Amino acid sequence: MFDALASPHHFLREMIGPTAHDPALKDYEQWWEQEGRAISDSVDRGGTPWLRMFDAAGKRVDEILYPPDYWRMLKQGYRAGVLWRAFEQDSLLPAFLLIYLTSFYDSGLSCPYTVSLSTALPLAKYGDDRLKERFLPKLLRQNDEVWQGATWMTEIKGGSDLGASVETLAVRDGDMWRLTGDKYFASNAGAELAVAAARPQGGPLGVRGLALYLLPRWRSDGELNYTIRRLKDKIATRSVPTGEVELRESEAYLLGGAEEGIYLILEVLNVSRVANSLGSVALAQRTLADALGFAQTRIAFGKRILDHPLLRRQFEERLQGLRQCFALAWQASQLLNEVWKERRPYSERYHLFRLLAHLAKYWTAEFAAQTAKWGMEVHGGLGVLEEFRVERWLREAMILAIWEGTAHRQLLDALEVIERKQAHHLLLAFAEQGGACPDLRQITQEIDQHLGLSAEQREFRWEPLGRRLAQTTAAALLDALPGKHKTAQGNF
Ligand SMILES: Cc1cc2nc3c(=O)[nH]c(=O)nc-3n(C[C@H](O)[C@H](O)[C@H](O)COP(=O)(O)OP(=O)(O)OC[C@H]3O[C@@H](n4cnc5c(N)ncnc54)[C@H](O)[C@@H]3O)c2cc1C
């Protein structure tokens, strides 16, 4: 059991069985063990990188200065195939597996990979041939010249209610657009390409007036197309620079139709939510592995703390929770892989995916945060010391729960797709393909009753039911996974 917990690749094999991606995952894990771990630790301890705004000649350059090893760590994942494999193999799964592995070692670093994927996918799906030819090959490079992407929606007034808070204005200029506004939480600042939400001039208010644009780092004349006002000094995810970005008549290209922009924005966010779910599970695995390593050697009352029945039971419950969360996140990834090329009107399968993605983002992040807190308690007082690392996992977990939409947002979006598309029935039918799921059937009936309440009461009373739905779905989906986990020992 310890082997499987201490190695993300072993854990993946235990959960989903052998795959064609095993050699790449094995190599990538080996690199992390030999080099990546130490680089990741030092980047976290080093804190916020330096934003070098001007070069020696006084020209605005907005360069982000990490130690050189950071760039080696970052490029390693791109070389391993976190972007190019998805396109070469026409499957998102190798990208998601690599993101899982990355997150076990450094959950902040999976952000650049995720947002780059979330840039490449809408470009491939909605970009015209000229845009695709110009930009896509640069994102899919297999060497260190690879370009990175970013997804910038949030502005100063808030990230949950984009319809009210996005004030960036887009004005048409021939076959391109000019964007003016400020993005307040812009992760992977410095990326060569970004997708950004903006409001086309004269469009309606609210979410229906938003569109999605592709924004290069450099203008056609070679000058900077956006500037970075400052970098955020964050508690964690220090291996991705998050900045405030200024757009001033920045050149941009419309993706899809302006009137369908909000759907494109949600598609982008849903890719990131799935990746975040896998990242949360990987972080929980890491915490559990570290807690186990500690509990196997720490002695209290004459024996290893792991051998005390109360604690051993907690370990077993955490392990089962981890497997269930993995099942939830993995099924969301597989469904996304099936439906990501769909356009409106979306199929029932897409609505099922949406419900699963919200439940997965919500519950895996909650589980990661709870597990990180528990992992610190297992370490006792030592857990609060930086040298024991578990304090880092708690800091990282808190961010996973907030970005890509908070728990509140996921719960409410899950309720919305249930109300509008009866997605809970789609979920039950999906889960029961693998056999009867009496607990999920019971909750489905309770949700049917819940939908008879007034709108105010539906929202007010939703959280406990939504939480049970997420947990019960996770448990039901675990049985459907093909890996060896069913026969693996649950005890330590
Ligand atoms: C490190 C980091 C990096 C980030 N990077 C990016 C990025 O690259 N691109 C990007 O676009 N954004 C990014 N974000 C922003 C992130 O997506 C937002 O923080 C998140 O969506 C929440 O928005 P907010 O912080 O503005 O909170 P608000 O929207 O102001 O919400 C405040 C609180 O109110 C709650 N709330 C809001 N509406 C409701 C409701 N209807 N019912 C109940 N509760 C509600 C929220 O859940 C939250 O708890 C990043 C954030 C962080 C922390």
Side-chain angles (χ1 to χ4, degrees), residues 7 45 72 110-111 113 134 187 244 255 264 288 293 366 381 436:
S7 150
R45 294 296 288 275
R72 207 150 55 80
S110 54
C111 174
Y113 303 152
R134 188 168 152 203
S187 287
E244 288 170 28
L255 291 174
L264 273 67
L288 194 45
E366 292 295 301

Side-chain angles (χ1 to χ4, degrees), residues 115 151-154 157-161 185-187 234 237 242 399 402-406 408-409 412 459:
V115 291
T151 60
W152 297 338
M153 317 295 173
T154 308
K157 287 185 178 168
S160 305
D161 183 7
F185 269 112
S187 287
K234 299 175 289 180
T237 65
T242 302
I399 290 188
I402 290 174
W403 68 10
E404 316 302 354
T406 58
H408 314 141
R409 194 65 263 147
L412 291 173
E459 200 172 306

Side-chain angles (χ1 to χ4, degrees), residues 127-144:
D128 63 29
D129 288 345
R130 206 171 39 98
L131 275 188
K132 280 194 276 200
E133 271 165 36
R134 188 168 152 203
F135 294 119
L136 204 49
K138 296 186 166 72
L139 290 169
L140 303 184
R141 284 178 181 158
Q142 299 187 20
N143 57 28
D144 286 357

Side-chain angles (χ1 to χ4, degrees), residues 250-300:
S250 303
E251 294 177 3
Y253 304 92
L254 181 65
L255 291 174
E259 65 297 336
E260 59 175 359
I262 185 57
Y263 295 97
L264 273 67
I265 291 168
L266 291 174
E267 285 183 14
V268 167
L269 291 178
N270 283 337
V271 174
S272 300
R273 286 167 178 165
V274 168
N276 198 89
S277 308
L278 287 164
S280 297
V281 182
L283 181 63
Q285 184 195 336
R286 180 65 187 270
T287 311
L288 194 45
D290 284 359
L292 180 60
F294 182 79
Q296 282 174 324
T297 52
R298 184 75 166 178
I299 307 291

Side-chain angles (χ1 to χ4, degrees), residues 311-356:
L311 202 57
R312 199 177 62 245
R313 181 180 168 149
Q314 285 190 356
F315 269 96
E316 286 170 8
E317 284 175 353
R318 284 277 148 202
L319 177 62
Q320 189 61 0
L322 180 77
R323 288 174 171 150
Q324 292 173 351
C325 279
F326 179 82
L328 192 58
W330 186 243
Q331 292 287 14
S333 318
Q334 287 189 305
L335 277 175
L336 176 60
N337 192 40
E338 271 181 43
V339 302
W340 79 267
K341 290 180 187 160
E342 273 192 23
R343 289 168 181 246
R344 285 196 310 138
Y346 300 119
S347 68
E348 286 199 333
R349 198 81 173 160
Y350 195 92
H351 302 312
L352 164 67
F353 156 69
R354 265 195 60 207
L355 176 56
L356 213 49

Side-chain angles (χ1 to χ4, degrees), residues 8-9 12 21-37 72-82 85 94-106 109-110 113:
H9 181 216
L12 288 172
H21 315 299
D22 282 334
L25 294 173
K26 186 164 172 251
D27 287 352
Y28 190 43
E29 180 167 316
Q30 208 165 22
W31 182 84
W32 272 104
E33 288 296 332
Q34 285 167 359
E35 291 188 63
R37 269 179 186 260
R72 207 150 55 80
M73 175 172 77
L74 175 76
K75 298 291 168 72
Q76 190 69 27
Y78 289 112
R79 272 202 301 272
V82 78
R85 279 183 200 275
F96 285 142
L97 290 169
L98 287 165
I99 284 173
Y100 187 91
L101 221 134
T102 305
S103 305
F104 179 86
Y105 292 102
D106 189 323
L109 193 72
S110 54
Y113 303 152

Side-chain angles (χ1 to χ4, degrees), residues 99 158-159 210 213 358 410 416 450 462:
I99 284 173
L210 297 180
Y213 293 89
H358 293 309
Q410 305 309 321
E416 191 227 31
H450 185 86
W462 172 236

